[in-house]
Amino acid sequence: MNEHYLKLKSSYLFSEIARRLTAFQAAHPGAKIIRLGIGDVTLPLAPAIIRALHEAVDEMARPETFRGYGPEPGYEFLTEQIAAHDYGTRGVRVSPDEIFVSDGGKSDSANIQEIFAPDCVVAVTDPVYPVYVDSNVMAGRGGVPDASGRYAGLVYLPCTAENDFQPALPDRPVDLIYLCYPNNPTGAVMTKAALKRWVDYARRQGAVLLYDAAYEAYIREPGIPHSIFEVEGAREVAVEFRSFSKTAGFTGTRCAFTVVPQELFGVAASGERVSLHALWLRRQSTKFNGVPYIVQKAAAAVYTEEGARQVRGQVDYYLDNARIIREGLEAIGLRVYGGKNAPYLWVKTPGRLDSWAFFDKLLQEAHVVGTPGAGFGPSGEGYLRLTAFGRRDETEEAVERIKTRLAL
Ligand code: PLP
C-alpha cells in the first residue's frame, strides 16, 4: 500500500462534530438543531439551468444529437463562454484552450500536485481547505505530523486576526503555494496589491501559485481581484481553479474548471523548460474522460442573460444571510471576520474559550452547529466558522437564538 496514507490525520473534525451532535440529541430529543456549519448550498438550481438540462437530456435521446465521449478538456461551447464572460469582461486574456472543464475544484486542486516533482516544497495557509494538505501528504510531501497537527514537510503560513488573515511570504524557499481567495474558512479577501506581492515572489523564486477562486462570485466590493490573472505577470506563474458549485448551486451537479496558461513552465531535472499546460492536458486526457455533455450544457446556461441574473440572485441571497449573521453576532459583542465578499464567517471565540468549547456552548445554549476553527489548522484555534449557505428562515432563527440565549 501507499504508506503515505497512514500519515493522514483521521478526519477527526467531522466525525467529532457528528459524535457531539448525536450525544446532544440523545440528551435533548426535542431540540431543533440548526446547522450553520455546512459548506453545501441549499437553493435549488436556477430555472435557466434546469431548462438547459432538460433540453440536453432530450438531445441525448435522438440519434442525430446524441453525444458520446466529449473532448477531455471540455466542449468549446462552454470554454468560449468562460473565456469571454469570466475573464474577457474583466479585461483578462484567457483563451478557451487554456480552460480545462472538470468535475470539481476539489479534484483539480487535489490532482494538480501530480504534475510536480515529488520533492517539491509546498506552502499552505493556516487555517486551510484540507484538500491541499491531504493530497500532498498522500503524495509523500507531508512527512509526519507533529503534536499540533502540522506536517514537518509542509510550510505553513499562519493567517490570524493579528496579520489581518494575510499570509506573510515564506521564510524559506518553496516551490508550490496554495492560495484561496475569497478564503475558506476565514472569509478573507486579498487586494490586488497583496496578490501582486505573491506573483512577484513566485516570479523571483521560480515558484508556482495554485490559486483557488471557488468563491469569486461572492466578491462585491470593486477593486478586489476576481482572478489572479488580473495581476500582471501571473500568466507565467499561476494556475487558477474555479467552480460552479457555490456560484450556481452545482455541488451535486458537478462542474468546475481550471485555467493553465500557455506561458506557464516547469523545469525538468535536465534543466529543460516544460509546459505545465501540456502536462495537465496529458494528465487529464489519461485519467479523466470529461464532464457529461448535459452538465456542460447546464453550466453554459449560467452565462446566458437569464441564467447570469438568476445565479447572481442566489449569491445575493447567501450574501444577505452572511450579513444577517454578521450583524446579529456583532450586536452581542462577538468579533466577526469575513462574510462580506465571502460566504464564510470566521468568529473569534469569546473570552478564553477554545474552538471546541465555543462549539459546545453554541450547541448547548442556542442549538446551533458551527465548525470549530481548529479543524482547519493550528492557527484556526480560537475561531469558529459559520456559513451563509443555509435557508433564510433557519439562518434568521439561528441568529435570533444566539442573540437571546448565548450567555456571554
Ligand atoms: N475549493 C474550496 C476552497 C472549497 O471550499 C471547495 C468546496 O467546499 C472546493 C474547492 C470544491 O469545490 P467543488 O465542489 O467544485 O469540488
Side-chain angles (χ1 to χ4, degrees):
M1 67 165 294
N2 177 348
E3 294 281 326
H4 300 308
Y5 276 61
L6 300 178
K7 298 170 190 152
L8 289 167
K9 284 175 282 172
S10 59
S11 58
Y12 167 79
L13 177 63
F14 291 102
S15 56
E16 180 60 17
I17 290 175
R19 195 189 66 74
R20 292 188 191 208
L21 258 182
T22 310
F24 178 80
Q25 278 166 324
H28 308 85
K32 182 189 164 211
I33 289 171
I34 299 180
R35 293 166 197 264
L36 290 188
I38 50 159
D40 198 358
V41 294
T42 46
L43 291 174
L45 289 174
I49 295 169
I50 292 294
R51 201 171 53 243
L53 276 169
H54 281 298
E55 285 167 7
V57 167
D58 287 340
E59 283 185 62
M60 296 299 266
R62 293 188 295 269
E64 63 278 16
T65 48
F66 166 77
R67 310 280 177 134
Y69 291 124
E72 284 101 354
Y75 284 102
E76 270 180 20
F77 66 72
L78 179 55
T79 53
E80 279 170 0
Q81 294 297 315
I82 293 170
H85 292 277
D86 282 318
Y87 296 102
T89 54
R90 299 195 63 80
V92 176
R93 176 174 56 92
V94 164
S95 75
D97 69 4
E98 294 172 319
I99 296 165
F100 294 83
V101 177
S102 79
D103 65 352
K106 184 182 202 172
S107 17
D108 285 356
S109 61
N111 291 331
I112 194 81
Q113 46 77 30
E114 267 187 51
I115 65 169
F116 297 99
D119 60 353
C120 270
V121 178
V122 174
V124 291
T125 58
D126 170 24
V128 71
Y129 177 52
V131 171
Y132 317 146
V133 170
D134 287 358
S135 55
N136 278 289
V137 170
M138 290 169 174
R141 297 190 189 89
V144 202
D146 65 15
S148 74
R150 282 193 180 86
Y151 288 94
L154 301 180
V155 174
Y156 289 85
L157 310 169
C159 298
T160 59
E162 287 66 45
N163 62 10
D164 212 12
F165 303 100
Q166 302 293 315
L169 296 175
D171 56 8
R172 56 183 164 118
V174 300
D175 303 302
L176 300 177
I177 303 152
Y178 291 80
L179 295 176
C180 171
Y181 292 96
N183 189 261
N184 176 12
T186 66
V189 289
M190 214 181 238
T191 63
K192 194 162 178 182
L195 204 48
K196 184 168 185 312
R197 284 183 68 224
W198 284 96
V199 169
D200 292 345
Y201 171 88
R203 293 174 67 91
R204 267 196 321 272
Q205 297 288 325
V208 173
L209 302 175
L210 302 168
Y211 192 73
D212 189 340
Y215 300 99
E216 161 277 328
Y218 290 80
I219 299 173
R220 286 298 154 82
E221 270 173 65
I224 299 170
H226 289 236
S227 164
I228 192 160
F229 301 119
E230 288 177 43
V231 177
E232 205 188 318
R235 286 178 57 86
E236 282 113 64
V237 291
V239 167
E240 178 164 293
F241 307 105
R242 293 268 188 113
S243 171
F244 293 94
S245 282
K246 309 295 166 60
T247 336
F250 273 57
T251 52
T253 308
R254 312 302 308 146
C255 197
F257 60 90
T258 289
V259 177
V260 188
Q262 297 281 7
E263 288 93 319
L264 183 60
F265 285 84
V267 185
S270 65
E272 182 197 351
R273 272 161 49 87
V274 180
S275 157
L276 294 180
H277 179 278
L279 290 193
W280 186 243
L281 178 61
R282 188 67 214 270
R283 192 267 170 213
Q284 289 299 79
S285 336
T286 301
K287 298 194 178 184
F288 183 62
N289 245 340
V291 173
Y293 173 73
I294 56 175
V295 172
Q296 293 194 55
K297 275 291 190 186
V302 168
Y303 298 101
T304 60
E305 206 187 310
E306 188 193 2
R309 190 171 13 90
Q310 291 168 353
V311 299
R312 190 177 166 90
Q314 297 192 332
V315 173
D316 284 343
Y317 175 94
Y318 295 130
L319 281 170
D320 261 345
N321 282 351
R323 182 185 48 75
I324 290 164
I325 301 172
R326 196 181 62 245
E327 289 176 359
L329 270 57
E330 281 175 350
I332 55 165
L334 287 168
R335 189 79 182 91
V336 184
Y337 302 93
K340 278 188 181 148
N341 295 288
Y344 295 111
L345 298 109
W346 194 239
V347 186
K348 184 80 192 89
T349 62
R352 295 191 171 275
L353 294 184
D354 67 20
S355 293
W356 280 106
F358 189 43
F359 168 90
D360 285 336
K361 184 176 172 66
L362 213 56
L363 179 60
Q364 299 287 340
E365 296 173 12
H367 304 176
V368 170
V369 182
T371 311
F376 297 97
S379 298
E381 183 53 273
Y383 296 90
L384 182 110
R385 191 191 76 172
L386 297 178
T387 83
F389 292 122
R391 283 174 18 198
R392 175 64 47 80
D393 56 341
E394 291 202 337
T395 302
E396 284 173 339
E397 189 181 339
V399 170
E400 199 48 37
R401 286 194 208 158
I402 294 171
K403 281 169 79 171
T404 52
R405 296 195 206 162
L406 214 62
L408 290 172

